[in-house]
Amino acid sequence: MDGSDCPDCSRINEVLSRIGDRWSMLIVISLDYAEVMRFNELKRHLGISQRMLSLTLRDLERDGLVRRTYYPTIPPKVEYALTPLGKSFCAPVRAMGEWALKNLPNIDAARAKFDAEAARTVEPV
Amino acid sequence: MDGSDCPDCSRINEVLSRIGDRWSMLIVISLDYAEVMRFNELKRHLGISQRMLSLTLRDLERDGLVRRTYYPTIPPKVEYALTPLGKSFCAPVRAMGEWALKNLPNIDAARAKFDAEAARTVEPV
DNA sequence: ATGGGTGGTTCCCTTTTTGTAACCGACATT
DNA sequence: AATGTCGGTTACAAAAAGGGAACCACCCAT
């Protein structure tokens, strides 16, 4: 079984296992911000390896979030942009980003506190 | 570099690498729905392995999203519930869940179309 | 003729993640 | 007496993710 009971869980599970990885989200965010970007532009912007970028972009295109436009010039030029579906995905991703912005300090504080207490119970001296 | 240029990227990168994994989100959603759940209850509900569940729950507790209450009875009883921080995280997660629910068919359609076209260009017969 | 940029693909290797199985103590059930 | 439950931890193994470098064709600038 995998998320068998709760139907929402299996759905969310599905979508997260497709486009819920780090690079996909970061690419979507970048494209949302820049409207259109070229391959090496994305690569330099994100610090992603060439291999991961091409793999992730192909998956995003396959899933209908990204539109790839190839110009057979010399040297070749390829532009990536969000489809309407990709743009609609930005809303929840941005919501999560804003939550992150606001709550990362809280997480850090909780983590520091947890670690401090754990250290005390292990080493009471 | 890693998401160096765009400040949002590095933040989202951070938060995603902490609580952006599949199990964390599913646990948060489950706890939001049920208010409080026990260890094996979560395990059965999500179909997660015992090891991953204990690891993920400890991280969630460490990050202040989940509160763990231990009752030293025999057999032991442990309850997990969301903290206020965890509850606030539900909003963006739910937004993503709702998007998933609505757009999974679109993704599937795009994927099928992409695969069909790829098959045609490879095997034109 | 050498090197660089374009957008990739392919191979190899390491690291990370995840699952499986066994074990724990102490009791309750069969 | 053996087995099951509860909430885990640990060791091992399999799978997946990811990085790095090499290679491709083609042209341009030096």
Side-chain angles (χ1 to χ4, degrees):
Chain A
M1 357 170 165
D2 56 334
S4 39
D5 277 355
C6 136
D8 287 359
C9 285
S10 60
R11 287 313 192 96
I12 293 178
N13 207 339
E14 269 188 81
V15 80
L16 286 181
S17 61
R18 294 179 197 211
I19 49 183
D21 65 294
R22 196 160 96 250
W23 291 129
S24 296
M25 297 222 195
L26 292 180
I27 289 174
V28 165
I29 291 172
S30 300
L31 289 181
D32 181 45
Y33 179 76
E35 293 287 342
V36 59
M37 288 180 92
R38 299 181 59 175
F39 185 87
N40 279 320
E41 194 180 358
L42 271 167
K43 185 180 163 225
R44 281 187 291 264
H45 178 66
L46 295 176
I48 184 177
S49 76
Q50 203 160 7
R51 184 179 155 277
M52 281 313 297
L53 180 57
S54 97
L55 289 179
T56 309
L57 279 174
R58 196 190 314 135
D59 280 348
L60 286 175
E61 187 197 358
R62 186 174 174 233
D63 287 338
L65 298 181
V66 158
R67 174 174 35 84
R68 177 180 184 275
T69 313
Y70 174 76
Y71 300 94
T73 58
I74 300 285
K77 176 179 173 183
V78 180
E79 285 183 348
Y80 292 93
L82 291 182
T83 63
L85 184 60
K87 284 204 183 89
S88 77
F89 183 55
C90 284
V93 172
R94 286 206 167 279
M96 186 158 292
E98 281 165 28
W99 185 90
L101 229 60
K102 209 193 304 182
N103 291 289
L104 256 183
N106 297 333
I107 291 182
D108 283 334
R111 185 175 284 210
K113 187 177 163 196
F114 184 92
D115 290 350
E117 284 176 14
R120 257 195 292 142
T121 56
V122 170
E123 288 191 72
V125 182
Chain B
M1 3 170 158
D2 56 335
S4 39
D5 276 357
C6 133
D8 287 0
C9 284
S10 59
R11 286 314 191 97
I12 292 178
N13 207 340
E14 270 189 79
V15 79
L16 285 182
S17 60
R18 295 179 196 211
I19 49 184
D21 65 293
R22 197 162 93 248
W23 291 130
S24 295
M25 297 222 196
L26 293 179
I27 288 174
V28 165
I29 291 172
S30 300
L31 289 181
D32 181 46
Y33 178 77
E35 294 284 342
V36 60
M37 288 181 91
R38 299 181 59 176
F39 185 87
N40 279 319
E41 194 181 357
L42 271 167
K43 186 181 163 222
R44 280 186 292 263
H45 179 66
L46 295 176
I48 184 178
S49 76
Q50 202 159 9
R51 184 178 155 279
M52 282 311 296
L53 180 57
S54 95
L55 289 179
T56 310
L57 280 174
R58 196 190 312 135
D59 280 346
L60 287 175
E61 188 197 357
R62 186 173 174 234
D63 288 338
L65 298 180
V66 158
R67 176 173 34 84
R68 178 181 184 272
T69 314
Y70 173 75
Y71 301 95
T73 59
I74 300 286
K77 177 179 172 182
V78 179
E79 285 183 347
Y80 292 93
L82 291 182
T83 63
L85 183 61
K87 284 204 182 91
S88 78
F89 184 53
C90 283
V93 172
R94 286 208 166 278
M96 185 158 292
E98 279 164 29
W99 186 91
L101 231 59
K102 209 194 302 182
N103 292 290
L104 253 183
N106 297 333
I107 292 183
D108 284 333
R111 185 175 285 211
K113 188 178 163 197
F114 184 91
D115 290 349
E117 284 176 15
R120 257 194 296 143
T121 55
V122 171
E123 288 191 72
V125 181

